[in-house]
Amino acid sequence: MRRILVAGNWKMNLLQSQGAALSQFLAGKYGSCAVEILVCPASPYLSGVGTTIRGSAVQLGAQNLYFAPQGAFTGEVCGEMLKDVGCGWVLVGHSERRQFFGEQDELLAKKVAAGLQHGLKVVLCVGELLAERQAGQTEAVLEKQMAGLAQVSAEQMANIVIAYEPVWAIGTGVTASTEQAQQAHAFLRSQLKSRYGEAVASATRILYGGSVKADNALELLSQSDVDGALVGGASLKVDSFSAIIEAGIQAQARKS
Ligand code: 13P
C-alpha cells in the first residue's frame, strides 16, 4: 500500500512573511495526517519554514541541490547544508531546471546520488514537452529521463519518489487527462520493474504534477498508479493547497 504524498513546490514565489503564514496554517491544521505532506520553499526560507512546521505532519524539502559535497561552487547549495537546515527531501530534475538551467540526465544522476548520500529523500522529476508528446515520443523521453536513477541501488529506491510532470501541463492550466496521467505512470512503473523488479516497482510512489487544482485532484489521485501530486501554483494558497491535501486523504481512503 503506497501512502499518498502531496507536495507543494513553491518555486521562486512567496516572501518570508507569506511562506510563514502558509506554513503556520498547514502545521496548525495538519498535526497528523493520513497522507504525507511536503512543502518546498525557496532556499533562503528553508530554515524559517522548517522551524514553523516542526512537530507537525508537514515535511520540508528543497527545490534543488548541487552534487559536490562542499567547496568553491558560488551560488550553489549541497546536500549536507540542506540536511543541516532541516530538510528531509529535495527535488531533482524539475523541468524548469532542465529548461532554464540546462540540466541534463548525467548531471541529474549525480544530484540524485548526492541527495541520497546525505540522507535526503529525492523526488526525481520527469516529463515530456508538448512537441515530444505530439511526435509520439512520450515513452522514449520518459525512459531516457529515468537515467537519473543510474546510480541508485534497489535498496536506495525506498528513498526515491518519481514525479511525472508533462511540461505542457505545468503552469498552463492544461492538466493531463486522467487517462494520460495513468498511462504515463503505468509506463514509469514498468520502467521501474525492468530496472529493479516487481517489489521495488510496486512500492515506489509516482506523483503527478502539472496544473493540479482543488477541482481535479481527487480524480487524478484516484488513478491506480498515481500516488500523489507535485503542486505548483495551487500550493501557494491555503485554500487550494489544503483542498488538494483533503482530496489526497479521500483518495487514500478509497484505495485502502
Ligand atoms: P503547476 O501546478 O503550477 O502547473 O506546477 C507544477 C509543477 O511544476 C510542480 O513542480
Side-chain angles (χ1 to χ4, degrees), residues 23 35 43 51 59 64 66 76 79 81 94 114 117-118 120 136 160 168 174 176 190 202 229 231 234 243 253:
S23 48
V35 300
S43 55
T51 303
Q59 302 176 65
N64 184 32
Y66 192 59
E76 293 296 321
M81 291 172 178
H94 191 279
Q117 206 171 2
H118 289 99
L120 297 163
I160 295 280
W168 46 272
V174 180
S190 74
S202 61
V231 187

Side-chain angles (χ1 to χ4, degrees), residues 64-134:
N64 184 32
L65 85 170
Y66 192 59
F67 66 83
Q70 61 180 54
F73 301 100
T74 301
E76 293 296 321
V77 170
C78 63
E80 192 174 8
M81 291 172 178
L82 297 180
K83 197 73 190 165
D84 194 36
V85 296
C87 286
W89 294 79
V90 64
L91 310 181
V92 172
H94 191 279
S95 66
E96 287 145 20
R97 300 294 318 168
R98 295 176 191 261
Q99 190 177 347
F100 302 128
F101 304 97
E103 296 193 358
Q104 296 186 356
D105 297 316
E106 199 179 330
L107 170 71
L108 297 174
K110 292 184 187 172
K111 290 189 172 202
V112 170
L116 293 173
Q117 206 171 2
H118 289 99
L120 297 163
K121 295 183 183 174
V122 176
V123 180
L124 174 66
C125 305
V126 298
E128 81 286 1
L129 303 169
L130 181 59
E132 292 166 338
R133 175 164 282 268
Q134 287 170 338

Side-chain angles (χ1 to χ4, degrees), residues 127-175:
E128 81 286 1
L129 303 169
L130 181 59
E132 292 166 338
R133 175 164 282 268
Q134 287 170 338
Q137 293 167 350
T138 299
E139 294 191 349
V141 169
L142 297 180
E143 185 173 352
K144 180 178 162 292
Q145 292 178 344
M146 291 295 266
L149 298 176
Q151 299 179 38
V152 181
S153 69
E155 292 68 37
Q156 289 175 314
M157 282 301 292
N159 291 319
I160 295 280
V161 168
I162 307 293
Y164 171 60
E165 299 205 304
V167 180
W168 46 272
I170 295 178
T172 58
V174 180
T175 318

